Amino acid sequence: MKNRPSLARYTVGAALARTGDEAAGPALLLAGLAATGSSARASALLAAGTAAAALGGPVVGALLDRSPRPGRLLAGALAGYAATLVAVLLCLGRTPYAVPLLVAAASGLLAPALSGGWTAQLPHVAGPAALPRATALDAMTFHAAALAGPALAGGAAALYGAPAGVVAAAALIGAVAPLAWTLPPGAGAPLSGTSRDRDGAPVPRGGCAPVPRRDVAPQGVPQRVPGRPVRGVAGVAAGVAEGCRALVRSRVLGRVTAASVLSCAGQGVLVACAPLLGARYLGGPGQGALLLAGAAGAALAANAALARTRRPPGPEAVFRGATLVQAAALLVLAAGAAGAAGGHPAVVVGAVLLVGAGEGPQLTALLALRHRESPDGLRGQIQTTGASLKITGFACGAAVAGPLASVSPPGALLAAAAAHAVAVAVSPRGAGARTGRRTARRPPRAPAVRTPGTPGPAGRPAHRPSAPHPPRDRSSCRGDGGAR
């Protein structure tokens, strides 16, 4: 109960910040097109921010993991992201085009703070019992933002001009910075009345016994103490390398990350094919955006139903099942685009909605697995690195789908279905999944040796050897009159 206010602030902040992030992309496209008159330059502006986001995720995660107050660092990242969006708007049409491109890249470096960086703070807000439901709510904010963000950018641009969309996106992101400042301390915050030894372990004042560490690294990954101050670029680079090793050496994290990247590549193919599907079945390329909005709405509804489930299945099973649903829906969509299913618009719309219904629970399961498998000292690193890899997979899928869809839209959709099918094969299985916490090696126990004169276990008295008793004279048992 005591976590409800913090969880409410977290959810509201996540929804607003991610809505601003989803609005920033279309708003930059519209502003770049209005300022330069070139669609190529406008798309380059968006691509610069996307590519930088893929690079900035591991760095943002390493900084968050090493900060005792990650909420304050997160607030600074949000304020910086909003400021760079406004700076891009001010540079457009007033400076050489390379300047707004560089500023857009700087904004992209901070963008992972809104996705993986924010999600990494959820275990500090919700207790272990409330974490599954809180994770479902967190995933719902992504899909709600995907619905509201583009609508906000388009509506502001239609009413007040193209720059208004960028201003609205920056205002939403900047308004969340005070909420991020109030987030609870991370796992590396010093405990009250404690100090740290030279290795970084907390030690109570007035005593010598160290406080047990809460972070447990996966097998093969050395333990570290979260909250240790960053010492220059080398310290950040070491944190990035440590998070990457954790992703590779943890079987569950490695497999679910690879599966999510493959699945995101398939989703990128669908986004690239959406204008063609809209032009062929719904009357215009612009109607393809309605298909994507419908998929986001279906994802939101599926996550809402999952959040109300009292006994949901394990995250591995949810992830595999949701990915399989997307693969099947894309097969139906490819058949509809090829005319094998009659080519009716209802078939196309229904298949896209089914894709969205699988995408929502898949994201919830992915976040749940990251929370469960990530050590406390590497949670932000793993969340942001996974988000960056997903962005890279999405961009690669969209890039490949462009020329392929121009030749054969059904072929591109079949490739997307194949990517999801491979993701199902790669994803971890629930029955055999074992976490790094359970597979970590334990030090061998010392043999129990007890020397004479030492106390015994469980409070038993000390064992003392005694001299042998003399043989008992049975005739004396009856006393003096025994011989009578």
Side-chain angles (χ1 to χ4, degrees), residues 157-261:
L159 292 175
Y160 304 106
V166 180
V167 173
L172 271 182
I173 296 171
V176 180
L179 289 176
W181 188 275
T182 62
L183 289 176
L191 302 176
S192 59
T194 64
S195 58
R196 292 186 181 272
D197 61 13
R198 64 179 183 177
D199 294 328
V203 177
R205 293 178 183 173
C208 299
V211 178
R213 297 178 181 177
R214 289 178 289 171
D215 55 320
V216 180
Q219 182 177 359
V221 180
Q223 291 187 358
R224 61 178 294 271
V225 178
R228 181 176 294 176
V230 179
R231 295 188 175 95
V233 178
V236 178
V240 171
E242 194 174 354
C244 294
R245 286 196 298 269
L247 277 175
V248 172
R249 295 181 181 179
S250 173
R251 187 171 67 90
V252 176
L253 282 176
R255 295 187 70 169
V256 78
T257 300
S260 66
V261 172

Side-chain angles (χ1 to χ4, degrees), residues 2-455:
K2 65 180 180 180
N3 290 326
R4 281 189 175 181
S6 297
L7 182 58
R9 287 196 301 270
Y10 172 93
T11 306
V12 171
L16 292 177
R18 288 162 181 168
T19 299
D21 187 32
E22 291 288 344
L28 284 177
L29 278 174
L30 294 173
L33 185 60
T36 64
S38 169
S39 60
R41 287 192 168 188
S43 60
L45 197 66
L46 179 60
T50 304
L55 296 175
V59 178
V60 171
L63 291 172
L64 289 173
D65 283 337
R66 289 169 169 256
S67 172
R69 298 289 304 191
R72 297 179 180 180
L73 185 61
L74 198 58
L78 294 174
Y81 187 22
T84 51
L85 288 177
V86 176
V88 171
L89 187 61
L90 294 176
C91 293
L92 280 173
R94 298 179 178 87
T95 62
Y97 193 68
V99 176
L101 280 179
L102 292 175
V103 179
S107 70
L109 289 173
L110 300 174
L114 281 74
S115 54
W118 196 284
T119 300
Q121 311 312 312
L122 187 56
H124 309 315
V125 175
L131 188 58
R133 181 175 178 272
T135 301
L137 292 174
D138 186 45
M140 289 171 64
T141 62
F142 283 96
H143 303 297
L147 273 174
L152 174 66
L159 292 175
Y160 304 106
V166 180
V167 173
L172 271 182
I173 296 171
V176 180
L179 289 176
W181 188 275
T182 62
L183 289 176
L191 302 176
S192 59
T194 64
S195 58
R196 292 186 181 272
D197 61 13
R198 64 179 183 177
D199 294 328
V203 177
R205 293 178 183 173
C208 299
V211 178
R213 297 178 181 177
R214 289 178 289 171
D215 55 320
V216 180
Q219 182 177 359
V221 180
Q223 291 187 358
R224 61 178 294 271
V225 178
R228 181 176 294 176
V230 179
R231 295 188 175 95
V233 178
V236 178
V240 171
E242 194 174 354
C244 294
R245 286 196 298 269
L247 277 175
V248 172
R249 295 181 181 179
S250 173
R251 187 171 67 90
V252 176
L253 282 176
R255 295 187 70 169
V256 78
T257 300
S260 66
V261 172
L262 287 169
S263 184
C264 246
Q267 293 166 10
V269 173
L270 177 61
V271 170
C273 293
L276 298 176
L277 294 173
R280 184 170 181 179
Y281 296 103
L282 300 178
Q287 305 302 320
L290 294 178
L291 285 175
L292 299 179
L300 186 62
N303 265 343
L306 183 64
R308 295 179 63 86
T309 304
R310 292 188 176 182
R311 294 176 177 262
E316 290 93 349
V318 173
F319 186 92
R320 290 173 62 87
T323 309
L324 186 60
V325 167
Q326 293 180 76
L330 285 168
L331 282 176
V332 174
L333 188 58
H344 198 277
V347 176
V348 175
V349 172
V352 172
L353 292 179
L354 192 58
V355 171
E359 183 181 345
Q362 182 196 47
L363 179 60
T364 301
L366 174 63
L367 298 180
L369 285 171
R370 286 179 184 167
H371 285 312
R372 192 190 73 188
E373 300 294 328
S374 301
D376 288 341
L378 295 174
R379 183 172 285 113
Q381 176 73 38
I382 288 172
Q383 291 282 359
T384 54
T385 302
S388 298
L389 291 173
K390 286 184 63 180
I391 291 173
T392 303
F394 185 91
C396 291
V400 171
L404 184 59
S406 62
V407 176
S408 172
L413 294 171
L414 282 175
H420 282 88
V422 175
V424 173
V426 171
S427 60
R429 298 179 181 272
R434 293 181 2 183
T435 66
R437 293 179 176 88
R438 295 182 187 128
T439 58
R441 295 180 179 177
R442 296 181 178 178
R445 289 184 177 180
V449 177
R450 185 160 57 90
T451 58
T454 58

